[in-house]
């Protein structure tokens, strides 16, 4: 074997916001014998997965399973639900990706831009919506670039209270939030919420999931040029038979099946509490060193902490040191935040003991 130590205890432990650590038993689940996607075994597999995915999304609606990364389903949300104009709520690099996807698909938009590190607030959204002829809003639940969790529930409530609130599609990217940060699809009355396997789900990359409301399905019927691979109507036609139109990523479905059982055995409330506790420990550790938190107070993400590098630590050197100790964190995202911030992810299956190990190693580097 090479020195990469795949599957061994000595691999580099990922404190980066995706891909995240995947437990050995989940990795091993991918090695099961291949099945054909029109064989009853595959329908049984998807039939086991679907209700468990619904529990994780807190929904009784359909949850589409896609062989793509999360970005694929961002494009799907835009292609399927927008006819008139969408409001892009942008407070970081990933919410700006929503904007780019909208523009690449030649849909009309307006941008509600908020300073990076700040949250999108309900009153900002409804003020803009009331001033134009919109039929959709795109928002990022958990802005991975800044460590901000936007108040999606309050935003959705405010939107639904508008005179035309029921006609507005609420599209939510929860790629780095879902299953670590609370999101309740039905109770919050959302239309499309998408996520991906390699973040808080603690699975290998390659799968994406999205819950879709009845309202969004009805809307899709009115939208021309939905495309082929990500057409919600076509995907649903197969999903009700526990199938997918094209070949699914069968090996990843095996891992998903097993991981959903583990997630639900832990319990969603316990899972959220564990993430909040890891977030609180990251913030407490950072402040004890004299760092500032980049995210606005009260909106700090339970899955990733973005720390302002006000102490001028050499982040690449820190990461080089951490790698020697089989750990890695993330520098700030993109030209705007690199070296000015750094990020510690605490999502998926990481535990408090992992965090303590990481803080001790950074302490040793800074000593
Ligand atoms: C990682 C991430 C994405 C991109 O997801 P892919 O699975 O890489 O396509 C989108 N949005 C957010 C908030 C993310 O954290």
């Amino acid at each position: 074997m090479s020195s990469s130590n795949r599957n061994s205890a000595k691999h580099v432990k990922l404190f980066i916001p995706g891909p995240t650590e995947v437990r050995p038993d989940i990795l091993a689940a991918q090695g099961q014998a291949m099945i054909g996607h029109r064989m009853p075994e595959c329908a049984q597999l998807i039939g086991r997965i679907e209700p468990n995915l619904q529990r994780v999304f807190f929904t009784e609606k359909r949850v589409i399973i896609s062989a793509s990364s999360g970005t694929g389903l961002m494009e799907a949300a835009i292609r399927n639900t927008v006819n008139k104009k969408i409001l892009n709520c942008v407070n970081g690099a990933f919410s700006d990706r929503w904007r780019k996807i909208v523009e690449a698909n030649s849909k009309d938009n307006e941008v509600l831009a908020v300073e990076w590190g700040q949250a999108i607030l309900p009153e900002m959204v409804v003020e803009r919506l009331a001033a134009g002829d919109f039929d959709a809003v795109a928002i990022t639940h958990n802005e991975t670039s800044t460590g901000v969790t936007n108040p999606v529930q309050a935003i959705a409530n405010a939107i639904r209270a508008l005179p035309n609130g029921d006609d507005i599609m609420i599209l939510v990217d929860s790629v780095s939030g879902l299953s670590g940060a609370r999101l309740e699809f039905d109770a919050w009355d959302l239309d499309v919420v998408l996520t991906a396997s390699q973040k808080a789900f603690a699975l290998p990359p390659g799968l994406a999931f999205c819950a879709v409301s009845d309202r969004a399905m009805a809307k899709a019927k009115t939208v021309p040029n939905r495309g082929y691979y990500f057409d919600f109507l076509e995907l649903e036609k197969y999903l009700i038979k526990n199938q997918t139109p094209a070949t699914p990523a069968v090996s990843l479905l095996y891992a998903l099946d097993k991981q959903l059982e583990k997630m639900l055995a832990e319990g969603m409330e316990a899972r959220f509490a564990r993430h909040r506790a890891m977030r609180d420990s990251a913030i407490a550790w950072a402040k004890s060193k004299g760092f500032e938190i980049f995210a606005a107070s009260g909106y700090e993400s339970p899955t990733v902490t973005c720390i302002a590098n006000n102490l001028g630590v050499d982040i690449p050197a820190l990461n080089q040191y951490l790698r020697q100790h089989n750990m890695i964190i993330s520098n700030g995202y993109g030209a705007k935040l690199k070296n000015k911030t750094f990020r510690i992810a605490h999502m998926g299956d990481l535990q408090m003991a992992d965090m303590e190990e990481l803080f001790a190693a950074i302490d040793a580097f800074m000593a």
Side-chain angles (χ1 to χ4, degrees):
M1 273 298 284
S2 74
S3 60
S4 63
N5 286 314
R6 278 187 291 269
N7 281 337
S8 86
K10 274 172 68 186
H11 74 281
V12 175
K13 195 179 281 183
L14 304 176
F15 294 91
I16 59 175
T20 54
E21 284 291 294
V22 183
R23 284 203 298 243
D25 56 328
I26 302 297
L27 285 174
Q30 295 176 93
Q32 296 171 67
M34 196 43 52
I35 51 176
H37 62 294
R38 301 296 179 230
M39 285 165 62
E41 287 85 346
C42 194
Q44 283 158 15
L45 178 62
I46 293 175
R48 263 201 315 278
I49 286 170
E50 180 68 12
N52 285 344
L53 268 180
Q54 288 171 313
R55 285 181 196 111
V56 173
F57 277 80
F58 290 75
T59 187
E60 290 175 1
K61 305 299 178 196
R62 62 204 67 66
V63 181
I64 287 166
I65 303 166
S66 168
S68 69
S69 82
T71 305
L73 288 181
M74 292 173 77
E75 185 146 87
I78 300 301
R79 291 293 293 260
N80 280 276
T81 68
V82 185
N83 276 328
K84 287 194 271 188
K85 185 162 69 169
I86 182 164
L87 183 63
N88 280 121
C89 304
V90 178
N91 62 338
F94 288 99
S95 36
D96 196 48
R97 181 175 298 187
W98 266 131
R99 178 191 63 76
K100 289 177 181 162
I101 292 169
V102 168
E103 292 171 5
N105 281 285
S106 303
K107 305 264 186 181
D108 283 342
N109 70 344
E110 281 183 29
V111 175
L112 164 59
V114 170
E115 198 187 329
W116 288 28
Q118 300 300 308
I120 307 282
L121 300 179
E123 51 272 24
M124 302 170 180
V125 178
V126 292
E127 187 187 325
R128 288 296 290 271
L129 287 176
D133 192 15
F134 294 94
D135 63 347
V137 175
I139 184 150
T140 303
H141 179 210
N142 190 73
E143 225 330 322
T144 319
S145 61
T146 63
V148 167
T149 301
N150 286 310
V152 170
Q153 181 181 19
I155 292 168
N157 280 340
I159 293 171
R160 296 301 182 218
L162 289 169
N164 65 337
D166 275 338
D167 300 330
I168 293 180
M169 296 292 130
I170 305 178
L171 315 179
V172 181
D173 164 1
S174 191
V175 171
S176 65
L178 205 93
S179 91
R182 177 184 299 281
L183 185 146
E184 299 185 25
F185 185 82
D186 288 352
W188 297 7
D189 200 7
L190 307 173
D191 291 305
V192 180
V193 171
L194 63 104
T195 193
S197 53
Q198 79 279 12
K199 305 238 170 136
F201 272 65
L203 287 164
L207 287 179
F209 321 112
C210 71
V212 184
S213 70
D214 293 340
R215 194 194 280 112
M217 291 304 295
K219 181 73 179 285
K221 291 185 183 145
T222 74
V223 180
N225 300 316
R226 296 187 301 277
Y228 187 85
Y229 191 65
F230 290 119
D231 177 4
F232 283 167
L233 302 183
E234 203 62 19
L235 286 158
E236 163 146 89
K237 222 189 279 174
Y238 282 83
L239 185 59
I240 56 180
K241 300 183 287 183
N242 290 322
Q243 290 192 3
T244 52
T247 316
V250 174
S251 306
L252 289 168
L253 293 182
Y254 287 139
L256 170 63
D257 183 30
K258 184 156 190 134
Q259 178 66 343
L260 284 169
E261 274 174 25
K262 298 239 163 179
M263 284 164 64
L264 293 167
E266 179 181 18
M268 296 311 293
E269 295 304 324
R271 202 174 167 84
F272 297 147
R274 177 167 56 79
H275 281 82
R276 285 194 304 268
M278 291 192 293
R279 182 261 321 270
D280 292 347
S281 79
I283 290 175
W285 168 82
K287 288 187 172 168
S288 77
K289 304 301 283 184
F291 287 116
E292 286 155 18
I293 305 302
F294 189 72
S297 176
Y299 299 97
E300 300 96 335
S301 162
T303 59
V304 57
T305 296
C306 183
I307 298 168
N309 188 16
N310 51 292
L311 301 181
V313 170
D314 182 340
I315 304 299
L318 167 60
N319 240 344
Q320 210 169 0
Y321 175 86
L322 289 174
R323 282 188 72 114
Q324 288 161 3
H325 295 80
N326 298 308
M327 289 174 246
I328 188 170
I329 61 168
S330 268
N331 205 326
Y333 192 97
K336 206 160 160 173
L337 294 179
K338 206 183 201 111
N339 299 319
K340 298 187 187 85
T341 65
F342 61 101
R343 291 169 301 158
I344 297 176
H346 30 77
M347 63 175 90
D349 286 332
L350 288 173
Q351 306 292 327
M352 197 62 97
D354 298 307
M355 305 312 299
E356 281 155 14
E357 185 189 18
L358 174 70
F359 302 146
I362 305 179
D363 286 349
F365 173 81
M366 289 177 70

